[in-house]
């Protein structure tokens, strides 16, 4: 297992649209293990492969307090079930230190493959529903800051660029 480097906004590689996984094999399962290790180490509740510069449609999530409810979504597809919206404070391992309210559909259905390549469906609620939508956005090159006003987004961008420059 390995802890992978997480790309940070405004890194342009975060804008890559990920490709579907063709075969769920041992190398994909190794990647998933590394993604969980990276996410738990951060710590975070969700991680998309895009964030570790691997542009395949893979998401891992664990919103439990004890890091014991891992969920894997390969090639996830989301259907919005009704027009109920909900505000939630979102953060992102690729936008460290910033939390902002984002409005998203509350009721969604997710179809995906698990780490054995088996299809499954889930109607997540609460934080899991927020998280899967946030992570699926990553696979499409989208970040939660894209939902904010451009003034807020630019402010976050400048602060992170300053931090990245200091770290060089
Ligand atoms: Ni994120």
């Amino acid at each position: 297992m390995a802890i992978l480097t997480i790309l940070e906004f405004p890194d342009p590689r975060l804008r890559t649209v990920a490709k579907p996984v063709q075969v769920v094999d041992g190398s994909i399962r190794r990647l998933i293990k590394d993604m969980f290790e990276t996410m738990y180490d951060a710590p975070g509740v969700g991680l998309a492969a895009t964030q570790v510069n691997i542009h395949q449609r893979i998401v891992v999530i664990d919103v439990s307090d004890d890091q014991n409810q891992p969920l894997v979504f390969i090639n996830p597809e989301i259907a919005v079930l009704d027009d109920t919206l909900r505000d939630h404070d979102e953060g992102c391992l690729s936008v460290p230190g910033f939390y902002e309210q984002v409005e998203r559909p509350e009721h969604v259905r997710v179809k995906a493959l698990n780490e054995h390549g088996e299809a499954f469906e889930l109607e997540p609620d609460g934080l899991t529903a927020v998280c899967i939508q946030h992570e699926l956005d990553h696979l499409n090159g989208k970040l939660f800051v894209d939902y904010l006003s451009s003034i807020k987004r630019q402010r976050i961008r400048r602060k992170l660029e300053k931090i990245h420059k200091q770290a060089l």
Side-chain angles (χ1 to χ4, degrees):
M1 299 229 284
I3 291 175
L4 308 168
T5 303
I6 298 174
L7 303 177
E8 293 187 2
F9 177 69
D11 192 310
R13 292 171 289 182
L14 287 167
R15 299 308 187 177
T16 312
V17 177
K19 294 200 165 65
V21 173
Q22 298 298 334
V23 184
V24 181
D25 57 12
S27 69
I28 295 289
R29 280 185 284 275
R30 264 194 305 281
L31 168 62
I32 287 167
K33 279 191 181 142
D34 289 344
M35 286 174 63
F36 273 116
E37 193 179 6
T38 304
M39 180 186 81
Y40 287 142
D41 177 71
V45 295
L47 187 73
T50 308
Q51 293 177 275
V52 292
N53 200 29
I54 293 172
H55 302 287
Q56 302 204 60
R57 302 187 80 79
I58 304 169
V59 161
V60 299
I61 288 177
D62 189 340
V63 301
S64 70
D65 289 333
D66 299 323
Q67 302 190 333
N68 60 2
Q69 287 168 40
L71 293 171
V72 174
F73 301 87
I74 299 171
N75 301 342
E77 287 175 35
I78 289 182
V80 177
L81 298 180
D82 59 48
D83 47 18
T84 317
L85 298 172
R86 178 173 180 241
D87 276 330
H88 198 280
D89 258 350
E90 293 192 23
C92 180
L93 294 177
S94 294
V95 192
F98 296 91
Y99 298 86
E100 295 287 345
Q101 287 228 322
V102 176
E103 189 178 63
R104 297 183 188 270
E106 184 171 15
H107 302 123
V108 294
R109 181 187 297 129
V110 188
K111 288 184 185 180
L113 303 177
N114 65 18
E115 68 272 34
H116 306 294
E118 300 156 346
F120 70 98
E121 274 190 38
L122 192 70
E123 280 184 29
D125 52 18
L127 186 54
T128 307
V130 174
C131 199
I132 184 64
Q133 293 178 75
H134 173 117
E135 301 308 331
L136 197 129
D137 275 352
H138 277 301
L139 301 181
N140 294 327
K142 193 166 182 180
L143 296 166
F144 85 93
V145 295
D146 299 345
Y147 295 93
L148 310 177
S149 69
S150 70
I151 291 174
K152 265 190 187 173
R153 186 166 52 254
Q154 291 309 322
R155 193 185 304 144
I156 292 172
R157 183 191 179 112
R158 277 198 299 274
K159 283 183 184 165
L160 283 174
E161 281 175 338
K162 199 172 164 193
I163 290 166
H164 295 157
K165 220 176 252 175
Q166 286 166 348
L168 283 179

